[in-house]
Amino acid sequence: MKFISTRGQAPELTFEEAMLTGLARDGGLYVPAEIPTMSEDEIAALSGLSYEETAFRVMWPFVSESFSEEEFRGCIARAYEGFGHVARAPLKQLAPNHFLLELFHGPTLAFKDFAMQLIGQLFQVALKRRGETVTIVGATSGDTGSAAIEAFRGLDAVNVFIFFPHGRVSEVQRRQMTTPQDANVHALALDGDFDDCQARVKDMFNDFDFRDGVKLAGVNSINFARVLAQVVYYFSAAVSLGAPGRKISFTVPTGNFGDIFAGYIAKQMGLPIDQLVVATNQNDILHRCLSGQGYYKGDTIPSISPSMDIQVSSNFERALFYAYGQDGAAVAQLMDELKSGGFDVSQGAMQALSETYASGRCSEDETMSTIRSQLANSGELLCPHSAVGAKVAEERRDAATPMVTLATAHPAKFPAAVEDASGVHPPLPPRMADLYDRSERVTRIGNDLATIEDHIRKTIAN
Ligand SMILES: *Cc1c(COP(=O)(O)O)cnc(C)c1O
Protein backbone atom coordinates (compact mmCIF):
# COMPACT_ATOMS: atom_id res chain seq x y z
CA MET A 1 0.00 0.00 0.00
CA LYS A 2 1.27 3.46 -0.92
CA PHE A 3 0.86 6.63 1.11
CA ILE A 4 0.22 10.03 -0.49
CA SER A 5 0.45 13.60 0.80
CA THR A 6 -2.62 15.75 1.46
CA ARG A 7 -0.94 18.50 -0.58
CA GLY A 8 -0.26 16.31 -3.57
CA GLN A 9 3.39 17.33 -4.18
CA ALA A 10 5.48 14.92 -2.08
CA PRO A 11 6.65 11.48 -3.28
CA GLU A 12 4.49 8.44 -2.52
CA LEU A 13 5.93 6.38 0.33
CA THR A 14 5.52 2.97 1.91
CA PHE A 15 4.02 2.67 5.40
CA GLU A 16 7.48 2.38 6.95
CA GLU A 17 8.80 5.43 5.08
CA ALA A 18 5.73 7.51 5.95
CA MET A 19 6.05 6.46 9.60
CA LEU A 20 9.75 7.38 9.81
CA THR A 21 9.18 10.68 7.97
CA GLY A 22 6.11 12.08 9.72
CA LEU A 23 5.39 15.34 7.90
CA ALA A 24 5.54 15.18 4.07
CA ARG A 25 8.13 17.34 2.32
CA ASP A 26 5.43 19.49 0.72
CA GLY A 27 4.16 20.36 4.21
CA GLY A 28 1.26 17.92 3.92
CA LEU A 29 0.24 14.83 5.89
CA TYR A 30 0.42 11.27 4.65
CA VAL A 31 -2.77 9.27 4.07
CA PRO A 32 -3.23 5.86 2.45
CA ALA A 33 -3.71 6.10 -1.31
CA GLU A 34 -6.66 3.77 -0.82
CA ILE A 35 -8.38 2.79 2.42
CA PRO A 36 -8.73 -1.01 2.68
CA THR A 37 -12.11 -2.39 3.70
CA MET A 38 -13.23 -5.23 5.94
CA SER A 39 -16.31 -7.27 5.05
CA GLU A 40 -19.20 -7.72 7.49
CA ASP A 41 -18.03 -11.28 8.12
CA GLU A 42 -14.49 -10.15 8.87
CA ILE A 43 -15.81 -7.55 11.31
CA ALA A 44 -18.17 -10.05 12.95
CA ALA A 45 -15.23 -12.44 13.40
CA LEU A 46 -13.52 -9.89 15.70
CA SER A 47 -16.12 -10.62 18.37
CA GLY A 48 -14.53 -12.09 21.49
CA LEU A 49 -10.93 -11.75 20.29
CA SER A 50 -8.16 -10.26 22.43
CA TYR A 51 -7.32 -6.60 21.86
CA GLU A 52 -3.99 -7.67 20.37
CA GLU A 53 -5.57 -10.03 17.83
CA THR A 54 -8.12 -7.38 16.86
CA ALA A 55 -5.25 -4.90 16.46
CA PHE A 56 -3.40 -7.28 14.17
CA ARG A 57 -6.40 -7.93 11.91
CA VAL A 58 -7.43 -4.28 11.63
CA MET A 59 -3.95 -2.86 10.95
CA TRP A 60 -2.32 -5.62 8.93
CA PRO A 61 -3.53 -4.51 5.44
CA PHE A 62 -1.89 -1.09 6.00
CA VAL A 63 1.53 -2.40 7.07
CA SER A 64 1.98 -5.78 5.39
CA GLU A 65 4.51 -4.50 2.86
CA SER A 66 6.74 -3.04 5.58
CA PHE A 67 6.75 -5.68 8.34
CA SER A 68 6.62 -9.46 8.49
CA GLU A 69 3.63 -10.95 10.26
CA GLU A 70 5.90 -12.15 13.06
CA GLU A 71 7.54 -8.72 13.48
CA PHE A 72 4.19 -6.96 13.56
CA ARG A 73 2.60 -9.38 16.01
CA GLY A 74 5.68 -8.99 18.26
CA CYS A 75 5.41 -5.18 18.17
CA ILE A 76 1.72 -5.31 19.13
CA ALA A 77 2.38 -7.73 21.99
CA ARG A 78 5.20 -5.62 23.46
CA ALA A 79 3.25 -2.36 22.98
CA TYR A 80 0.31 -3.36 25.14
CA GLU A 81 1.85 -5.73 27.70
CA GLY A 82 2.52 -2.85 30.15
CA PHE A 83 -1.12 -1.75 30.28
CA GLY A 84 -2.89 -1.95 33.61
CA HIS A 85 -6.04 -3.64 32.28
CA VAL A 86 -6.13 -6.97 30.44
CA ALA A 87 -8.88 -5.73 28.09
CA ARG A 88 -6.59 -2.76 27.19
CA ALA A 89 -9.61 -0.58 26.22
CA PRO A 90 -12.49 -1.66 28.50
CA LEU A 91 -16.03 -0.31 28.20
CA LYS A 92 -18.08 0.95 31.15
CA GLN A 93 -21.70 2.05 31.14
CA LEU A 94 -22.66 5.63 32.05
CA ALA A 95 -26.39 5.60 31.29
CA PRO A 96 -28.87 3.58 29.24
CA ASN A 97 -27.19 3.22 25.83
CA HIS A 98 -24.29 5.53 26.78
CA PHE A 99 -20.90 3.88 27.25
CA LEU A 100 -17.44 5.04 28.27
CA LEU A 101 -14.42 3.65 26.44
CA GLU A 102 -11.56 3.77 28.95
CA LEU A 103 -8.39 4.55 27.03
CA PHE A 104 -6.29 5.47 30.06
CA HIS A 105 -4.83 2.18 31.27
CA GLY A 106 -1.45 2.67 29.56
CA PRO A 107 1.81 3.74 31.25
CA THR A 108 1.08 7.52 31.11
CA LEU A 109 -2.66 7.29 31.78
CA ALA A 110 -3.92 8.80 28.51
CA PHE A 111 -5.05 7.37 25.17
CA LYS A 112 -1.83 8.57 23.52
CA ASP A 113 -0.16 5.43 24.92
CA PHE A 114 -2.12 3.24 22.48
CA ALA A 115 -0.39 4.79 19.50
CA MET A 116 2.91 5.78 21.04
CA GLN A 117 3.75 2.42 22.59
CA LEU A 118 3.17 0.75 19.23
CA ILE A 119 5.10 3.34 17.22
CA GLY A 120 8.06 2.95 19.62
CA GLN A 121 8.19 -0.76 18.87
CA LEU A 122 7.75 -0.22 15.12
CA PHE A 123 10.53 2.41 15.02
CA GLN A 124 12.85 0.08 16.89
CA VAL A 125 12.30 -2.82 14.50
CA ALA A 126 12.53 -0.66 11.36
CA LEU A 127 15.64 1.27 12.45
CA LYS A 128 17.44 -1.85 13.61
CA ARG A 129 16.85 -3.44 10.23
CA ARG A 130 18.17 -0.30 8.48
CA GLY A 131 21.09 0.28 10.87
CA GLU A 132 20.02 3.93 11.32
CA THR A 133 19.50 6.40 14.16
CA VAL A 134 16.98 9.27 14.18
CA THR A 135 16.11 12.39 16.16
CA ILE A 136 12.48 12.57 17.17
CA VAL A 137 11.00 15.99 17.89
CA GLY A 138 7.48 16.52 19.14
CA ALA A 139 5.21 19.25 20.43
CA THR A 140 2.86 18.44 23.25
CA SER A 141 0.02 20.03 25.13
CA GLY A 142 0.88 17.48 27.80
CA ASP A 143 -0.07 13.92 27.01
CA THR A 144 1.74 13.26 23.71
CA GLY A 145 5.09 14.19 25.20
CA SER A 146 4.90 11.93 28.20
CA ALA A 147 3.63 9.09 26.04
CA ALA A 148 6.53 9.57 23.58
CA ILE A 149 9.17 9.77 26.30
CA GLU A 150 7.75 6.65 27.93
CA ALA A 151 7.61 4.79 24.61
CA PHE A 152 11.14 5.64 23.38
CA ARG A 153 13.22 5.89 26.55
CA GLY A 154 16.20 3.61 26.54
CA LEU A 155 16.11 2.93 22.77
CA ASP A 156 19.61 4.03 21.76
CA ALA A 157 18.91 4.42 18.02
CA VAL A 158 16.59 7.31 18.91
CA ASN A 159 17.03 10.73 20.54
CA VAL A 160 13.78 12.34 21.65
CA PHE A 161 13.14 16.07 22.20
CA ILE A 162 9.71 17.04 23.48
CA PHE A 163 8.54 20.66 23.60
CA PHE A 164 5.78 21.60 26.00
CA PRO A 165 4.34 25.07 26.74
CA HIS A 166 6.04 26.29 29.91
CA GLY A 167 3.58 26.52 32.81
CA ARG A 168 0.63 25.21 30.80
CA VAL A 169 0.69 21.50 31.51
CA SER A 170 -0.52 19.82 34.69
CA GLU A 171 2.01 18.77 37.31
CA VAL A 172 1.40 15.08 36.63
CA GLN A 173 1.90 15.64 32.90
CA ARG A 174 5.11 17.60 33.51
CA ARG A 175 6.51 15.04 35.93
CA GLN A 176 5.78 12.21 33.54
CA MET A 177 7.99 14.01 31.00
CA THR A 178 10.74 15.24 33.31
CA THR A 179 11.29 12.28 35.63
CA PRO A 180 12.48 9.53 33.23
CA GLN A 181 16.27 9.54 33.62
CA ASP A 182 17.24 7.82 30.35
CA ALA A 183 19.92 9.80 28.49
CA ASN A 184 18.15 9.68 25.12
CA VAL A 185 14.97 11.54 26.16
CA HIS A 186 14.78 15.31 26.70
CA ALA A 187 11.91 17.49 27.97
CA LEU A 188 12.01 21.18 26.93
CA ALA A 189 9.77 23.87 28.44
CA LEU A 190 9.15 26.41 25.66
CA ASP A 191 8.23 30.03 26.39
CA GLY A 192 4.95 30.05 24.48
CA ASP A 193 1.70 28.14 24.09
CA PHE A 194 1.02 24.79 22.45
CA ASP A 195 0.51 26.34 19.02
CA ASP A 196 4.02 27.87 19.32
CA CYS A 197 5.45 24.44 20.19
CA GLN A 198 3.69 22.92 17.23
CA ALA A 199 4.76 25.73 14.89
CA ARG A 200 8.45 25.37 15.84
CA VAL A 201 8.32 21.63 15.25
CA LYS A 202 6.82 22.30 11.81
CA ASP A 203 9.57 24.88 11.17
CA MET A 204 12.25 22.30 11.96
CA PHE A 205 10.71 19.90 9.48
CA ASN A 206 10.61 22.62 6.83
CA ASP A 207 14.30 23.47 7.40
CA PHE A 208 15.63 20.71 5.13
CA ASP A 209 19.31 21.24 6.09
CA PHE A 210 18.50 20.72 9.73
CA ARG A 211 16.00 17.98 8.99
CA ASP A 212 18.49 15.91 6.99
CA GLY A 213 21.45 16.81 9.23
CA VAL A 214 19.97 15.37 12.42
CA LYS A 215 17.74 12.80 10.63
CA LEU A 216 14.54 14.29 11.98
CA ALA A 217 11.52 12.11 12.59
CA GLY A 218 8.17 13.07 14.03
CA VAL A 219 5.73 11.20 16.21
CA ASN A 220 3.08 13.88 16.65
CA SER A 221 -0.45 12.93 15.81
CA ILE A 222 0.26 13.87 12.18
CA ASN A 223 2.14 10.57 11.96
CA PHE A 224 -0.17 8.18 10.16
CA ALA A 225 1.10 5.23 12.20
CA ARG A 226 -0.44 6.86 15.26
CA VAL A 227 -3.78 7.40 13.60
CA LEU A 228 -3.74 3.77 12.52
CA ALA A 229 -3.13 2.45 16.05
CA GLN A 230 -6.18 4.42 17.20
CA VAL A 231 -8.46 2.86 14.58
CA VAL A 232 -8.31 -0.41 16.51
CA TYR A 233 -10.34 0.60 19.56
CA TYR A 234 -13.23 1.86 17.44
CA PHE A 235 -13.48 -1.70 16.13
CA SER A 236 -13.05 -3.39 19.52
CA ALA A 237 -15.68 -1.15 21.15
CA ALA A 238 -18.21 -1.31 18.31
CA VAL A 239 -17.97 -5.09 18.00
CA SER A 240 -18.47 -5.47 21.79
CA LEU A 241 -21.70 -3.48 21.44
CA GLY A 242 -23.13 -5.41 18.50
CA ALA A 243 -21.43 -4.22 15.30
CA PRO A 244 -21.58 -5.04 12.46
CA GLY A 245 -25.23 -5.99 13.16
CA ARG A 246 -25.94 -2.64 14.71
CA LYS A 247 -24.75 0.92 14.19
CA ILE A 248 -22.70 2.59 16.92
CA SER A 249 -22.00 6.30 17.52
CA PHE A 250 -18.85 7.80 19.03
CA THR A 251 -18.13 11.11 20.74
CA VAL A 252 -14.48 12.13 20.86
CA PRO A 253 -12.92 14.87 23.03
CA THR A 254 -10.95 16.57 20.29
CA GLY A 255 -7.87 18.78 20.01
CA ASN A 256 -5.60 17.95 17.12
CA PHE A 257 -8.25 15.82 15.39
CA GLY A 258 -6.08 12.66 15.39
CA ASP A 259 -8.31 10.49 17.53
CA ILE A 260 -11.54 11.37 15.72
CA PHE A 261 -9.89 11.03 12.33
CA ALA A 262 -9.08 7.43 13.30
CA GLY A 263 -12.85 7.01 13.65
CA TYR A 264 -13.29 8.28 10.10
CA ILE A 265 -10.79 5.66 8.86
CA ALA A 266 -12.67 2.94 10.79
CA LYS A 267 -15.91 4.05 9.13
CA GLN A 268 -14.31 4.03 5.67
CA MET A 269 -13.01 0.53 6.38
CA GLY A 270 -16.60 -0.61 6.81
CA LEU A 271 -17.34 -0.25 10.52
CA PRO A 272 -21.00 0.87 10.80
CA ILE A 273 -20.47 4.14 12.65
CA ASP A 274 -23.57 6.31 12.80
CA GLN A 275 -22.58 9.63 14.37
CA LEU A 276 -18.96 10.70 14.79
CA VAL A 277 -19.14 13.64 17.17
CA VAL A 278 -16.33 16.16 17.67
CA ALA A 279 -16.45 17.50 21.24
CA THR A 280 -14.50 20.70 21.93
CA ASN A 281 -13.95 22.81 25.03
CA GLN A 282 -14.11 26.63 24.90
CA ASN A 283 -11.37 26.50 22.24
CA ASP A 284 -14.00 25.65 19.71
CA ILE A 285 -12.54 26.39 16.27
CA LEU A 286 -13.56 22.91 15.07
CA HIS A 287 -17.12 23.24 16.36
CA ARG A 288 -17.43 26.66 14.72
CA CYS A 289 -16.04 25.32 11.46
CA LEU A 290 -18.31 22.27 11.44
CA SER A 291 -21.24 24.62 12.17
CA GLY A 292 -20.51 26.43 8.92
CA GLN A 293 -18.64 29.46 10.28
CA GLY A 294 -15.33 28.87 8.49
CA TYR A 295 -11.99 27.93 9.97
CA TYR A 296 -10.58 31.07 11.61
CA LYS A 297 -7.91 31.09 14.30
CA GLY A 298 -8.54 32.86 17.59
CA ASP A 299 -6.36 33.05 20.70
CA THR A 300 -5.98 29.89 22.71
CA ILE A 301 -7.74 30.30 26.07
CA PRO A 302 -6.27 28.04 28.78
CA SER A 303 -8.91 25.63 30.10
CA ILE A 304 -9.24 22.80 32.62
CA SER A 305 -8.98 20.34 29.70
CA PRO A 306 -5.55 21.56 28.51
CA SER A 307 -4.87 18.75 26.04
CA MET A 308 -7.65 20.23 23.90
CA ASP A 309 -6.45 23.86 24.12
CA ILE A 310 -5.68 24.12 20.43
CA GLN A 311 -6.53 26.54 17.65
CA VAL A 312 -4.77 24.97 14.70
CA SER A 313 -5.83 21.36 14.60
CA SER A 314 -3.22 19.63 12.43
CA ASN A 315 -5.10 16.46 11.51
CA PHE A 316 -8.09 18.46 10.33
CA GLU A 317 -6.06 18.84 7.13
CA ARG A 318 -6.70 15.14 6.50
CA ALA A 319 -10.45 15.60 6.93
CA LEU A 320 -10.31 18.52 4.50
CA PHE A 321 -8.36 16.42 1.99
CA TYR A 322 -11.21 13.91 1.81
CA ALA A 323 -13.92 16.57 1.97
CA TYR A 324 -12.31 18.26 -1.05
CA GLY A 325 -12.32 15.01 -3.03
CA GLN A 326 -8.57 14.32 -2.46
CA ASP A 327 -7.61 17.57 -4.21
CA GLY A 328 -4.10 18.30 -2.88
CA ALA A 329 -3.85 21.67 -4.62
CA ALA A 330 -7.07 22.88 -2.96
CA VAL A 331 -5.78 21.77 0.46
CA ALA A 332 -2.43 23.49 -0.13
CA GLN A 333 -4.28 26.72 -0.92
CA LEU A 334 -6.43 26.51 2.24
CA MET A 335 -3.32 25.95 4.37
CA ASP A 336 -1.80 29.03 2.76
CA GLU A 337 -4.86 31.08 3.68
CA LEU A 338 -4.67 29.69 7.22
CA LYS A 339 -1.27 31.38 7.64
CA SER A 340 -3.02 34.73 7.36
CA GLY A 341 -5.87 33.86 9.73
CA GLY A 342 -8.23 31.31 8.25
CA PHE A 343 -10.49 30.26 5.41
CA ASP A 344 -14.07 29.45 4.46
CA VAL A 345 -14.90 25.87 3.54
CA SER A 346 -16.52 25.41 0.11
CA GLN A 347 -20.17 24.38 0.00
CA GLY A 348 -19.38 20.94 -1.42
CA ALA A 349 -16.72 20.25 1.19
CA MET A 350 -19.03 21.47 3.99
CA GLN A 351 -21.63 18.99 2.78
CA ALA A 352 -19.07 16.17 2.84
CA LEU A 353 -17.87 17.13 6.33
CA SER A 354 -21.40 17.24 7.73
CA GLU A 355 -22.14 13.78 6.32
CA THR A 356 -19.29 12.43 8.46
CA TYR A 357 -18.93 14.64 11.52
CA ALA A 358 -21.26 16.22 14.05
CA SER A 359 -19.94 18.55 16.75
CA GLY A 360 -20.61 20.22 20.07
CA ARG A 361 -18.91 22.54 22.55
CA CYS A 362 -18.65 22.33 26.32
CA SER A 363 -17.93 25.37 28.51
CA GLU A 364 -15.74 25.31 31.61
CA ASP A 365 -18.81 25.39 33.91
CA GLU A 366 -20.43 22.56 31.99
CA THR A 367 -17.22 20.51 32.25
CA MET A 368 -17.24 20.93 36.04
CA SER A 369 -20.94 20.13 36.40
CA THR A 370 -20.58 17.05 34.17
CA ILE A 371 -17.78 15.68 36.38
CA ARG A 372 -20.13 16.16 39.37
CA SER A 373 -23.24 14.71 37.74
CA GLN A 374 -21.45 11.70 36.25
CA LEU A 375 -20.00 10.85 39.65
CA ALA A 376 -23.45 11.13 41.22
CA ASN A 377 -25.33 9.25 38.51
CA SER A 378 -22.91 6.55 37.37
CA GLY A 379 -20.20 6.48 40.02
CA GLU A 380 -17.57 7.24 37.36
CA LEU A 381 -14.99 9.94 38.08
CA LEU A 382 -14.15 11.54 34.70
CA CYS A 383 -11.11 13.60 33.74
CA PRO A 384 -12.06 17.04 32.37
CA HIS A 385 -11.46 15.96 28.74
CA SER A 386 -13.66 12.91 29.08
CA ALA A 387 -16.29 15.11 30.76
CA VAL A 388 -16.33 17.41 27.72
CA GLY A 389 -17.02 14.30 25.67
CA ALA A 390 -19.73 12.97 27.98
CA LYS A 391 -21.55 16.33 28.00
CA VAL A 392 -21.60 16.66 24.22
CA ALA A 393 -22.52 12.97 23.84
CA GLU A 394 -25.57 13.43 26.09
CA GLU A 395 -26.74 16.30 23.86
CA ARG A 396 -26.17 14.45 20.61
CA ARG A 397 -27.18 10.88 21.26
CA ASP A 398 -30.48 9.32 20.21
CA ALA A 399 -32.28 6.55 22.07
CA ALA A 400 -31.87 3.90 19.37
CA THR A 401 -28.10 3.93 18.82
CA PRO A 402 -25.48 3.09 21.43
CA MET A 403 -23.21 6.09 22.06
CA VAL A 404 -19.59 5.53 23.08
CA THR A 405 -17.71 8.44 24.67
CA LEU A 406 -13.95 8.11 24.54
CA ALA A 407 -12.39 8.60 28.01
CA THR A 408 -9.07 10.04 26.91
CA ALA A 409 -7.26 10.36 30.26
CA HIS A 410 -7.34 9.03 33.82
CA PRO A 411 -8.79 11.54 36.32
CA ALA A 412 -5.58 11.37 38.37
CA LYS A 413 -3.76 13.09 35.51
CA PHE A 414 -5.76 16.26 36.26
CA PRO A 415 -6.28 16.04 40.02
CA ALA A 416 -6.78 19.75 40.74
CA ALA A 417 -9.65 20.23 38.28
CA VAL A 418 -11.28 16.93 39.23
CA GLU A 419 -11.12 17.71 42.95
CA ASP A 420 -12.44 21.26 42.39
CA ALA A 421 -15.41 19.87 40.51
CA SER A 422 -16.25 16.84 42.60
CA GLY A 423 -14.63 17.22 46.01
CA VAL A 424 -12.94 13.87 45.40
CA HIS A 425 -9.17 13.60 45.07
CA PRO A 426 -8.39 11.03 42.35
CA PRO A 427 -5.46 8.86 43.45
CA LEU A 428 -2.74 7.72 41.02
CA PRO A 429 -2.79 3.99 40.29
CA PRO A 430 -0.39 2.14 42.62
CA ARG A 431 2.15 1.50 39.84
CA MET A 432 2.98 5.21 39.64
CA ALA A 433 2.18 6.36 43.17
CA ASP A 434 5.76 7.65 43.75
CA LEU A 435 5.67 10.12 40.81
CA TYR A 436 5.82 13.16 43.10
CA ASP A 437 9.00 11.88 44.77
CA ARG A 438 11.06 11.36 41.60
CA SER A 439 13.61 14.04 40.59
CA GLU A 440 12.98 16.19 37.49
CA ARG A 441 15.19 17.03 34.48
CA VAL A 442 14.04 19.82 32.14
CA THR A 443 15.52 22.60 29.93
CA ARG A 444 13.68 25.92 29.57
CA ILE A 445 14.03 27.30 26.03
CA GLY A 446 12.98 30.44 24.10
CA ASN A 447 10.41 30.42 21.31
CA ASP A 448 13.08 30.82 18.62
CA LEU A 449 13.95 28.36 15.86
CA ALA A 450 17.72 29.03 15.72
CA THR A 451 18.11 28.61 19.49
CA ILE A 452 16.15 25.38 19.43
CA GLU A 453 18.05 23.86 16.50
CA ASP A 454 21.35 24.80 18.07
CA HIS A 455 20.35 23.13 21.33
CA ILE A 456 19.37 19.92 19.57
CA ARG A 457 22.57 19.75 17.48
CA LYS A 458 24.75 20.26 20.56
CA THR A 459 22.86 17.74 22.66
CA ILE A 460 23.09 14.91 20.14
CA ALA A 461 26.76 15.67 19.41
CA ASN A 462 27.56 14.95 23.07
C1 LIG B 1 -4.47 14.49 23.04
C2 LIG B 1 -5.65 14.50 23.91
C3 LIG B 1 -6.91 14.85 23.42
C4 LIG B 1 -7.11 15.33 21.99
O1 LIG B 1 -6.85 14.31 21.05
P1 LIG B 1 -6.58 14.68 19.52
O2 LIG B 1 -6.21 13.41 18.86
O3 LIG B 1 -5.45 15.67 19.53
O4 LIG B 1 -7.83 15.28 18.99
C5 LIG B 1 -7.99 14.77 24.26
N1 LIG B 1 -7.85 14.38 25.55
C6 LIG B 1 -6.66 14.03 26.06
C7 LIG B 1 -6.56 13.63 27.49
C8 LIG B 1 -5.52 14.07 25.26
O5 LIG B 1 -4.33 13.74 25.77
Side-chain angles (χ1 to χ4, degrees), residues 109-112 141-144 173 221 226 230 252-261 286 305 307-308 310 313 315 383 385-386 407-410 413-414:
L109 306 181
F111 82 90
K112 307 281 193 311
S141 53
D143 298 322
T144 305
Q173 288 178 320
S221 64
R226 283 191 49 194
Q230 294 166 184
V252 186
T254 296
N256 244 333
F257 213 83
D259 211 4
I260 187 133
F261 185 74
L286 287 166
S305 44
S307 303
M308 297 157 68
I310 282 165
S313 196
N315 278 291
C383 93
H385 310 77
S386 310
T408 51
H410 191 287
K413 225 170 165 176
F414 303 92

Side-chain angles (χ1 to χ4, degrees), residues 206-222:
N206 287 323
D207 178 348
F208 292 148
D209 277 351
F210 179 76
R211 177 175 179 165
D212 296 336
V214 302
K215 291 228 170 78
L216 215 54
V219 295
N220 266 354
S221 64
I222 55 160

Side-chain angles (χ1 to χ4, degrees), residues 43 255 278 329:
I43 295 171
V278 173

Side-chain angles (χ1 to χ4, degrees), residues 122-138:
L122 295 175
F123 262 67
Q124 186 180 23
V125 169
L127 290 171
K128 227 168 155 183
R129 202 196 300 124
R130 292 166 166 237
E132 289 177 10
T133 62
V134 296
T135 302
I136 288 174
V137 295

